[in-house]
């Protein structure tokens, strides 16, 4: 019999909470550690659709990448979105566990998975906190390719989203060194490893940081930018996490949600 406490212990071995950023809130969000767990569903986000999916599948745990209660919360009344979700989980007998930046930084984390699928060699963290551990990854393509070809490769790797792949840079620019950061990565734009790369692949690039990076590159050098869906860049990691949990928790059924939780539904191209 596997308990939620056993799953939490396995998660701690795989994604130590000590590796999380100071502002983060990974770990158990709701649920009784003494409860039995026979089925787990993995998703990037705890939203109504993934919670319903987990409960309908009779899963006792929904393990997500993004903590539901990351920002300040003063109520879980069901008149609020988060309160309604927590209540649905509790009534459905489904616990909620999050592995966020602690899962980003490990050697098999979100950015490492993206780097692997892009085909980078000798990938290392952009910001290293221990050997092989840290945020983002930077490495080299086996063969140089154009920025446009790399963008197309990413479009083929990532699950489909309305916003697709956006690029700042010349289509024909030849790139070899690639920095990647799954999820929102504009905080790493000024890191030396990013500045020295030919291209930086991340998500949620806002206007001002992206514009400043483009202008800085014109004056002092710097990477082209590729902006992808936050959800898509992290969803790729879920199957790795599932495989690691299957090995750590034999006998527990572990499934990856294929529901798209990217918030955008369609885009009108001008």
């Amino acid at each position: 019999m596997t308990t939620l406490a056993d799953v939490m212990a396995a998660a701690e071995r795989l994604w130590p909470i000590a590796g999380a950023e100071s502002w983060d809130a990974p770990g158990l969000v709701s649920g009784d550690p003494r409860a039995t767990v026979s089925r787990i569903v993995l998703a990037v986000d705890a939203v109504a659709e993934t919670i319903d999916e987990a409960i309908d599948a009779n899963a006792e745990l929904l393990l997500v990448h993004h903590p539901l209660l990351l920002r300040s919360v003063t109520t879980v009344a069901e008149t609020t979105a988060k309160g309604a979700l927590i209540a649905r989980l509790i009534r459905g007998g489904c616990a909620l566990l999050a592995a966020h930046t602690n899962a980003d930084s490990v050697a098999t984390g979100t950015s490492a998975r993206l780097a692997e699928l892009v085909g980078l060699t000798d990938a290392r963290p952009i910001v290293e906190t221990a050997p092989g551990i840290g945020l983002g990854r930077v490495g080299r393509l086996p063969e140089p390719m154009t920025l446009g070809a790399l963008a197309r490769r990413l479009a083929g790797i990532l699950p489909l989203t309305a916003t697709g792949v956006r690029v700042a840079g010349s289509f024909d620019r030849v790139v070899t060194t690639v920095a990647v950061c799954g999820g929102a990565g504009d905080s790493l734009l000024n890191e030396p490893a990013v500045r020295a790369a030919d291209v930086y692949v991340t998500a949620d690039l806002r206007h001002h940081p992206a514009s400043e990076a483009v202008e800085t590159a014109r004056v002092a050098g710097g990477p082209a930018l590729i902006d992808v869906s936050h959800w898509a860049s992290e969803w790729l990691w879920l199957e790795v996490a599932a495989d690691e949990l299957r090995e750590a928790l034999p006998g527990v059924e572990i499934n990856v949600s294929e529901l798209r939780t990217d918030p955008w539904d369609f885009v009108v191209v001008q």
Side-chain angles (χ1 to χ4, degrees), residues 112-204:
R113 176 59 170 164
L114 182 56
E116 176 189 18
L117 291 173
V118 170
L120 301 187
T121 60
D122 301 321
R124 64 190 187 280
I126 292 171
V127 179
E128 192 168 53
T129 56
I133 304 297
L135 295 179
R137 291 296 184 273
V138 59
R140 295 177 65 84
L141 294 165
E143 298 289 340
M145 64 170 55
T146 66
L147 182 61
L150 177 60
R152 285 175 172 166
R153 176 180 290 185
L154 283 161
I157 290 168
L158 296 163
L160 298 177
T161 59
T163 51
V165 176
R166 302 189 301 175
V167 183
S170 170
F171 187 97
D172 294 324
R173 176 175 175 173
V174 176
V175 298
T176 301
T177 304
V178 182
V180 303
C181 180
D186 61 12
S187 64
L188 303 182
L189 278 167
N190 290 321
E191 290 294 329
V194 172
R195 292 288 309 279
D198 296 320
V199 56
Y200 181 39
V201 181
T202 190
D204 289 352

Side-chain angles (χ1 to χ4, degrees), residues 204-218:
D204 289 352
L205 284 176
R206 296 169 295 151
H207 174 87
H208 291 295
S211 178
E212 289 173 9
V214 168
E215 293 303 312
T216 298
R218 287 174 176 158

